[in-house]
Amino acid sequence: MVEKQILPSCEECIFDRVASVRKSLISYSGGFILKYSKLTELDSSNLGNCVNVTFLAKLLYILLMGLCDDVQDIRNESEQQLAKLSQLLCDTQKFEMLFVLSFHALCPIIISTSTSWVTQRREKSLQSLARLMEYTLNQKLNEDQKKNVSEAVECVVPALVVACVDDDEGSLCEAAFQCANRLSLSDCVAIQSVAVLRLLLSNSSSNRISSILLVLNGIITGISSHLHENYGELLEEVSNLMSTDHVMNLFQQKDVMETLSTCSNSLVSALPDEFSVDGIDNLQMYDKIILNILRCQLQLLSCPIVFGVHFDTMESIKSLSKKSNLKSKNDGELNILSIHFGNMLKLLCDDDDVWTEECADLLAFDALVRYSSPDVTCRYLENIIQVMERHLSQGLNDDVSYKVQMKMLGFLQAFLSLCNSQKSLEKFSSNIVIDLLYPSLVWQAGSVSSGLRKMSLACLHCLLAKVSASDCLFDAAPKLFTSLRSNLDDCDDSTRHLACSCMSFLFRSLHGVLNGEVVRQIYPSLIKLLDDNNDNIRLVACTSISSLVVSVGKSNLEGTPIEVIIEEFLVHMDDPNPLIQKAVFAALSQITHHFPNQILKQTKKVRSSHRSNNFCDDLIKIAENVSD
């Protein structure tokens, strides 16, 4: 009768607003358990498995809630009642053993209350659960008790996750965090809890992942606060869970990434300074944990700035470097990425799959390349080129997304801009040009193809500006000149400008290599640019034509080619734009050293038709001096 008719009302009174009511309820419950225990001859040997264990657990739940009450007088009353009961049943006034014996019966009662629609009740229930786990898991348990605790944990962990979902005020999340913190008081319970979270993660919708990570963060924080025999195993299990694809693939969800950032920072703090202490006696285990943390951090670095996780992640990586005893030359250097770059690259690019624009590995690869020093990326340039080749070698096609190709070209341009190792660039320049850039340089109609061409030309420009050796470009030159010439007629100003500038670099790099056939194919297109509607392109065309003349030698230009070039230059030396006049004069001055007689003859012929004779007179003087 007490269990069915009286207890339900008593359980409601534990949340009563009046403190005296709550205190009376606790006094009544404690007294009832004492009388019941004497009548049924209960003791520590049969309390955990007696017939009425659920009934007693409901009364103990009331006393447990009293221990969490906001009023000190009520907390004192609960402690007194529990001390009396413990003296009777366990022959000690330390009442923690009462909760150990009834743990498996108490947990379902508390969990059922934690699902109440009243937030305050849910919060109080979680607080009592945290207190229960603190009392229980701090004790030395026998095998039966460990089994009971293990069975209860299977229900406790999902309940904590549910409590965090849709908690707008944050009070339930904090209470659940404190409960999760207590789960790490025991090695086996902590490992089991992480296993339960992994199972939940694989079967949960995206809106619950953040709650799972919040509970995990509570466990991580607890791990760092207590000594554990299996410290390394615990951290490895936690890091494995954090870096799963289920979490990484939610890189577009701000709440998930914010919670992941918190977990990552907590795990770095929990990591010991040396791998040989605190249970981590295996270097391979330590490196595995580091790689899992870095995998998470790279995903965080790839998030939009508005997520607000970049600064904390950068600081966390620096802390990780210090814990790994890596000496930094400056405070901004992320040494840990340099040390583990090869392993991270293998982790992200281990298969031959082509990435989609929504692929988490693609964004992590982006962060790895961008945030690592150019010296490190140079050491792994061959591997990086292999990854890019999978996405760029076919040019524009249906198998690889346009956005992915643009990202790859963006990686390449950033690397080429920052790389200072000319030796590495020269070693792989032919591969970069032929395998990565040339497929997209071939002219095709459409705005998508135009975007790829422009980005490929930007990469080529960066490469040619740093590579001067002709032997490394010789194999790529025939294809390059063909595609660059087609891009000189592009409707986009930037594309024409880049193509002309790239030709200028090529002429200088391939000095004395080009033959007359190449010259006859190229120079008409370059001369056409002198009449371009963009003055910047006209200026670059002047430089490119003069580089062509200087590079190919007299024998390949004799006759019509050089006569046409000089004639067109002299026309534009009288251009209304002073900058064009100066650029043309500079180009003709260079050409004069190779063809002084032709320059002298044609300049004297047009001198009288120019608005100003100054440039013509200066050019004639240079030609006469060279002829002498």
Side-chain angles (χ1 to χ4, degrees), residues 493 496-497 500 526-546 568-569 571-581 583-584 587 611:
D493 289 357
R496 296 198 305 278
H497 187 282
C500 189
L526 291 174
I527 288 176
K528 184 180 177 181
L529 293 181
L530 292 175
D531 294 314
D532 199 275
N533 57 7
N534 187 311
D535 283 347
N536 290 325
I537 295 176
R538 297 172 71 197
L539 292 170
V540 173
C542 292
T543 304
S544 187
I545 294 171
S546 64
E568 289 295 327
F569 264 151
V571 170
H572 289 88
M573 198 166 69
D574 195 33
D575 195 272
N577 187 338
L579 293 176
I580 300 295
Q581 293 177 24
V584 171
R611 283 167 288 190

Side-chain angles (χ1 to χ4, degrees), residues 460-530:
L460 181 62
H461 190 273
C462 290
L463 177 64
L464 295 177
K466 295 189 175 185
V467 174
S468 57
S470 60
D471 54 346
C472 62
L473 294 172
F474 187 80
D475 293 338
K479 287 187 173 183
L480 269 184
F481 278 121
T482 302
S483 59
L484 288 175
R485 184 164 62 89
S486 67
N487 281 287
L488 292 178
D489 297 323
D490 198 276
C491 60
D492 187 278
D493 289 357
S494 300
T495 300
R496 296 198 305 278
H497 187 282
L498 285 167
C500 189
S501 184
C502 287
M503 275 198 169
S504 183
F505 280 124
L506 276 174
F507 294 146
R508 290 196 289 270
S509 298
L510 299 171
H511 186 85
V513 176
L514 301 179
N515 56 39
E517 180 63 27
V518 175
V519 173
R520 285 189 290 274
Q521 291 177 0
I522 292 173
Y523 86 89
S525 299
L526 291 174
I527 288 176
K528 184 180 177 181
L529 293 181
L530 292 175

